[in-house]
Amino acid sequence: MSVQERKQRERAERERLIVAAARELAEQQGWDAVTTRRLAERIEYSQPVLYSHFRGKREIIGAVALEGAAEMAVAVRAATAGADGPRERVAALARAYLDFAERNPAVYDAIFQLDGGLAYAQEHTPEPLKDAFAALMESLGEVAGDGIHPGLFTETFWASLHGLATLTRAGRLLPEDAEARVELLVERLAKV
């Protein structure tokens, strides 16, 4: 291995360490607790080292969002892969999405609530974000209905899931009705 390859590998490892530390701190104490000073202390590097990887917190949030979007896509695909039939796939997708949001609130916020400097729904949208949407559309596109664009239907269903995830986390919805909400969403919106 050349010196250049070793340096690149070490740089990539430091970047993974920064992102992991940011995720951990955000999940434990919220995004307000994530500062370059605290991250530098946690990973035992100086703040200038952090700035050599990320220009600031916004880019760190973006890196967490990309990592989280990739994980969400994997979770949705894993949940829908074992489902038998369109109705079961859509219900499995909804449960997997809501479960991901509940288990990873800081990551979910990085993806959907905070400014990570990422472009959404544009040509230059980063691949992990496109893939997360594609993971939703793989199951939702087949139930969109005649004359309804699969992407538009996926956006609408996703918006409903996002609303459920956000309102549930804020304590605005009764937790005991979570499954009934999923069933209603599948039955009425997806009509399967």
Side-chain angles (χ1 to χ4, degrees):
M1 174 182 300
S2 73
V3 171
Q4 182 65 21
E5 289 171 328
R6 181 182 53 76
K7 285 183 179 185
Q8 287 174 341
R9 190 180 74 229
E10 289 171 355
R11 180 173 176 74
E13 182 54 39
R14 272 193 314 272
E15 193 166 301
R16 282 190 293 276
L17 187 61
I18 294 166
V19 171
R23 280 182 73 156
E24 182 181 322
L25 189 57
E27 292 293 358
Q28 291 171 352
Q29 299 176 33
W31 279 104
D32 287 342
V34 179
T35 64
T36 54
R37 183 187 57 76
R38 290 184 82 185
L39 287 175
E41 288 171 4
R42 268 192 182 218
I43 66 169
E44 299 178 346
Y45 282 100
S46 67
Q47 283 181 295
V49 170
L50 256 74
Y51 285 116
S52 74
H53 290 273
F54 300 100
R55 285 182 285 202
K57 184 175 176 177
R58 182 179 186 218
E59 284 189 4
I60 293 169
I61 290 169
V64 170
L66 293 177
E67 189 174 273
E71 291 169 7
M72 188 176 72
V74 168
V76 166
R77 286 187 176 112
T80 58
D84 187 29
R87 185 184 208 305
E88 291 75 19
R89 273 191 292 284
V90 173
L93 175 148
R95 288 184 196 104
Y97 182 97
L98 294 171
D99 182 58
F100 181 87
E102 182 182 343
R103 285 184 298 104
N104 306 284
V107 173
Y108 188 83
D109 284 349
I111 301 169
F112 298 117
Q113 305 283 90
L114 301 175
D115 179 10
L118 303 173
Y120 287 79
Q122 297 175 22
E123 191 164 313
H124 59 281
T125 296
E127 199 54 44
L129 298 177
K130 288 180 182 179
D131 189 51
F133 186 78
L136 298 175
M137 198 158 74
E138 288 163 11
S139 294
L140 294 170
E142 71 178 311
V143 299
D146 292 338
I148 299 173
H149 188 279
L152 181 61
F153 181 77
T154 300
E155 288 173 344
T156 303
F157 198 93
W158 168 35
S160 298
L161 289 174
H162 178 69
L164 289 175
T166 303
L167 291 170
T168 298
R169 191 164 114 203
R172 304 294 197 275
L173 301 175
L174 295 172
E176 59 266 21
D177 293 334
E179 185 58 29
R181 285 185 205 94
V182 168
E183 289 300 319
L184 183 62
L185 193 60
V186 170
E187 184 178 312
R188 296 295 173 97
L189 189 56
K191 296 183 181 181
V192 288

